[in-house]
Amino acid sequence: MAENRNLVFILVLFLVINGIHGEDPYRFFTWKVTYGDIYPLGVKQQGILINGQFPGPQINCVTNDNLIISVYNYLKEPFLLSWNGLQNRRNSWQDGTSGTNCPIPPGRNFTYMLQAKDQIGSFFYFPSLALHKAAGGFGGIKIYSRPRIPVPFPFPAGDHTVLAGDWYKKGHQRLRHILDSGRNIPSPDGLLINGRGWNGYTFGVDQGKTYRFRISNVGLTTSINFRIQGHTMKLVEVEGSHTVQNTYNSLDLHLGQSASVLVTANQPVRDYYVVVSSRFTRRVLMTTAVLHYRNSRIGVSGPPPGGPTTQIAWSLMQARSMRWNLTASGPRPNPQGSYHYGMIKPSRTIMLSNSAPWINGKQRYAVNGVSYVPADTPLKLADYFKIGGVYNLGGISDKSNGNGNAYLSTAVMHADFRSFAEIVFQNWEDTVQSWHIDGYSFFVVGMDGGQWTQASRSRYNLRDTVARSTVQVYPRAWTAIYIALDNVGMWNIRSENWARQYLGQQFYLRVYSPAHSWRDELPIPRNALLCGRARGRHTRPLRG
């Protein structure tokens, strides 16, 4: 009864404080997080299960739906979930990273109150602490368009989630120990599709019908290529943006990225390989699932179709071919192209350069010479309660550090609410980087080899580049984005290579509004967990 009363209280508070209107439905989820035995590569491992499932339960919702997700932590260590691509408009309180939320202690519960505000598309959730992602705990998120909003393709006969990525036979605790000791983790042991190894998962189709495949790279360290034997794929959506519907034989997805393709089952009735292989690795890893035509009596046979391996130029050209569908509606009825991002002059240019320094005799990773160290108190709580000494505002420069030196810091970069920024990711290393910004989607205006200069702007796409939340930077190359900083909060900017993120290649962007109004940012939740130097404080919201 006490638990029910608490849930009712949370719901009422959410309705009153957040001003959610009655037309936006609520979807309730209760998740129990436990350890369990899994055998993804044929070896028994301790996995992280949600409601006994690996991968975890699918979240299906519609634009503007409210998601009430009650998470019970039955692990022996603190746990936290984050939502890759969900923007959490005005609500970084729910972002689920160490800089915004206290972890859920063992044996405790926390209820996330999210809204799929003004979003459509394909995303995923994952555990954000302690390398838990290497043990599972991730799952897919589908946000469908509202019934009256036109979608630029016929409704498919089926909608399949594909969670693919690299996997280690070593447990997450062993991998964490390797990183803590000052070494990088080794190459992964294999690849998985929906938690299964070779031919371990089956996608059923009917001949002549078209299906949507929502593919996410949920791995730790490796870019992947996705393809289906004998079938082409029509790209229709990338992380919440409808795209120009180009057709591909295979598709690269870098760490943390998601995309949707349409596949028509127009081949003879039999089974076909669904293939995922590693990109830009010395040893090419591969795994398969099965595309099963119903009534087929012929299984897969022969070698799976090959794909690209180390070709950078091929991947770069494919990335440049992805375009925004200017005439398609997004989450609202107006066409995506009615937002003319290329006509807005950025008020600030931020240069971000990744590096792999050794600090105090240990391998670390850094951004602009700063290797991030998590604080004992979530930065968002320290900001709200005005607790000094938790983080270093301005501790990371918005200019690239070219001298090679690096130091440890809990670094936060300041940004003004409603400013429009140009961010350039510069990569001088020999590996592909992947960057994610929580709370936002952004426009990938350009990418090329070498060093970015002001003259590089002449090659920007200022008309129809795709908007997304995760972008790759090729070796010894740069990628530039435009971003409208219209979402107040404390937002994580991170490498999606999880070893690099764990060892410091991340920081937080504090998008600040002096108005302190509920119109700009929702108040602290009454059920917020308090830890560190925020323990014992009161979560009574300030007036809007």
Side-chain angles (χ1 to χ4, degrees):
M1 288 295 293
E3 179 182 315
N4 291 337
R5 287 196 300 271
N6 186 50
L7 189 58
V8 170
F9 171 77
I10 291 171
L11 177 57
V12 170
L13 184 72
F14 195 55
L15 281 165
V16 173
I17 291 180
N18 296 2
I20 304 298
H21 301 292
E23 65 267 18
D24 297 328
Y26 283 78
R27 299 180 188 268
F28 295 87
F29 305 84
T30 299
W31 288 356
K32 296 181 179 180
V33 181
T34 62
Y35 290 123
D37 292 339
I38 57 175
Y39 302 82
L41 293 177
V43 176
K44 181 179 177 180
Q45 293 180 255
Q46 184 186 66
I48 292 179
L49 313 180
I50 299 179
N51 291 352
Q53 301 176 41
F54 168 70
Q58 176 80 38
I59 294 178
N60 295 321
C61 63
V62 175
T63 300
N64 292 349
D65 278 0
N66 301 291
L67 310 177
I68 311 300
I69 306 173
S70 189
V71 179
Y72 290 82
N73 179 17
Y74 292 102
L75 307 182
K76 294 181 180 179
E77 53 187 326
F79 184 78
L80 198 57
L81 284 172
S82 191
W83 322 93
N84 209 75
L86 251 64
Q87 294 177 20
N88 290 311
R89 303 294 301 176
R90 302 188 300 139
N91 199 9
S92 67
W93 301 108
Q94 308 293 336
D95 198 42
T97 64
S98 66
T100 56
N101 295 83
C102 294
I104 307 170
R108 292 279 302 277
N109 157 259
F110 177 71
T111 299
Y112 291 90
M113 296 174 286
L114 314 173
Q115 188 183 22
K117 179 66 176 173
D118 289 337
Q119 285 193 263
I120 58 163
S122 310
F123 310 97
F124 65 92
Y125 61 87
F126 67 96
S128 60
L129 295 181
L131 233 64
H132 287 151
K133 191 180 179 187
F138 49 77
I141 302 174
K142 300 176 184 177
I143 307 179
Y144 294 98
S145 297
R146 287 175 289 176
R148 296 183 180 180
I149 306 299
V151 176
F153 50 86
F155 197 79
D159 195 325
H160 297 295
T161 294
V162 184
L163 302 174
D166 56 31
W167 192 259
Y168 288 82
K169 293 180 181 178
K170 292 182 175 67
H172 73 282
Q173 294 171 336
R174 175 59 181 158
L175 294 174
R176 191 170 66 210
H177 175 75
I178 293 172
L179 293 174
D180 289 340
S181 69
R183 297 170 290 153
N184 196 1
I185 56 178
S187 298
D189 297 297
L191 301 174
L192 302 182
I193 298 174
N194 289 350
R196 309 286 180 85
W198 200 272
N199 288 348
Y201 195 89
T202 298
F203 300 97
V205 296
D206 290 318
Q207 190 180 39
K209 294 185 178 180
T210 298
Y211 296 82
R212 184 172 182 172
F213 285 76
R214 300 173 186 255
I215 316 150
S216 295
N217 184 342
V218 297
L220 298 181
T221 66
T222 311
S223 297
I224 61 173
N225 181 267
F226 179 86
R227 53 197 180 272
I228 301 178
Q229 182 184 25
H231 296 72
T232 58
M233 301 177 293
K234 183 182 292 184
L235 184 70
V236 294
E237 177 255 332
V238 169
E239 294 164 21
S241 289
H242 288 306
T243 63
V244 172
Q245 295 178 13
N246 296 328
T247 298
Y248 301 94
N249 292 315
S250 69
L251 194 66
D252 276 357
L253 288 105
H254 304 276
L255 289 165
Q257 292 186 339
S258 300
S260 284
V261 297
L262 296 180
V263 178
T264 299
N266 56 8
Q267 298 300 305
V269 174
R270 51 163 293 184
D271 291 353
Y272 297 86
Y273 286 113
V274 177
V275 187
V276 171
S277 59
S278 62
R279 291 286 268 127
F280 322 118
T281 56
R282 293 180 182 177
R283 180 171 66 99
V284 177
L285 301 173
M286 183 183 295
T287 194
T288 61
V290 176
L291 185 74
H292 172 70
Y293 278 60
R294 294 184 178 92
N295 300 320
S296 166
R297 297 183 180 180
I298 305 174
V300 293
S301 62
T309 54
T310 60
Q311 303 92 330
I312 296 291
W314 185 96
S315 187
L316 174 61
M317 291 300 293
Q318 184 179 84
R320 287 174 172 168
S321 73
M322 296 180 183
R323 293 287 185 264
W324 221 21
N325 188 333
L326 298 179
T327 60
S329 298
R332 296 185 178 185
N334 54 300
Q336 292 177 148
S338 61
Y339 182 78
H340 301 288
Y341 68 90
M343 299 178 66
I344 306 173
K345 183 177 177 57
S347 59
R348 178 183 183 185
T349 296
I350 300 171
M351 298 286 299
L352 300 177
S353 180
N354 50 274
S355 59
W358 283 70
I359 302 176
N360 300 327
K362 293 186 176 183
Q363 176 70 71
R364 296 287 299 185
Y365 296 97
V367 188
N368 287 3
V370 180
S371 186
Y372 181 84
V373 178
D376 62 1
T377 305
L379 316 185
K380 185 63 182 169
L381 293 180
D383 198 38
Y384 176 78
F385 290 117
K386 296 180 171 55
I387 303 171
V390 173
Y391 63 86
N392 184 9
L393 185 62
I396 180 170
S397 171
D398 59 4
K399 302 299 179 185
S400 177
N401 177 3
N403 59 21
N405 297 325
Y407 59 92
L408 305 174
S409 177
T410 305
V412 175
M413 184 181 288
H414 171 79
D416 293 323
F417 181 43
R418 294 199 178 97
S419 60
F420 192 80
E422 173 188 46
I423 300 179
V424 179
F425 298 98
Q426 181 73 60
N427 176 22
W428 289 118
E429 298 185 69
D430 293 325
T431 56
V432 175
Q433 306 293 313
S434 189
W435 288 94
H436 179 85
I437 302 180
D438 278 354
Y440 289 93
S441 65
F442 47 74
F443 297 94
V444 185
V445 292
M447 55 177 64
D448 208 344
Q451 182 172 359
W452 181 91
T453 66
Q454 292 188 15
S456 303
R457 293 183 179 129
S458 65
R459 303 194 298 275
Y460 282 4
N461 179 350
L462 299 181
R463 182 176 183 270
D464 64 348
T465 190
V466 71
R468 63 188 316 161
S469 59
T470 308
V471 69
Q472 72 274 23
V473 191
Y474 292 102
R476 301 192 175 276
W478 57 267
T479 295
I481 68 171
Y482 279 0
I483 183 170
L485 297 173
D486 57 358
N487 196 10
V488 172
M490 188 77 72
W491 302 108
N492 190 226
I493 299 181
R494 62 176 177 268
S495 170
E496 284 288 312
N497 180 307
W498 222 239
R500 285 178 168 264
Q501 181 270 354
Y502 184 84
L503 291 182
Q505 198 164 294
Q506 61 170 308
F507 65 95
Y508 282 81
L509 185 72
R510 180 179 182 252
V511 181
Y512 179 75
S513 169
H516 300 293
S517 167
W518 293 3
R519 292 186 299 272
D520 297 339
E521 183 177 29
L522 299 179
I524 184 172
R526 285 287 184 93
N527 71 324
L529 299 175
L530 303 180
C531 57
R533 284 178 258 180
R535 196 183 306 274
R537 307 277 179 140
H538 297 288
T539 59
R540 183 179 300 110
L542 302 174
R543 289 189 177 184

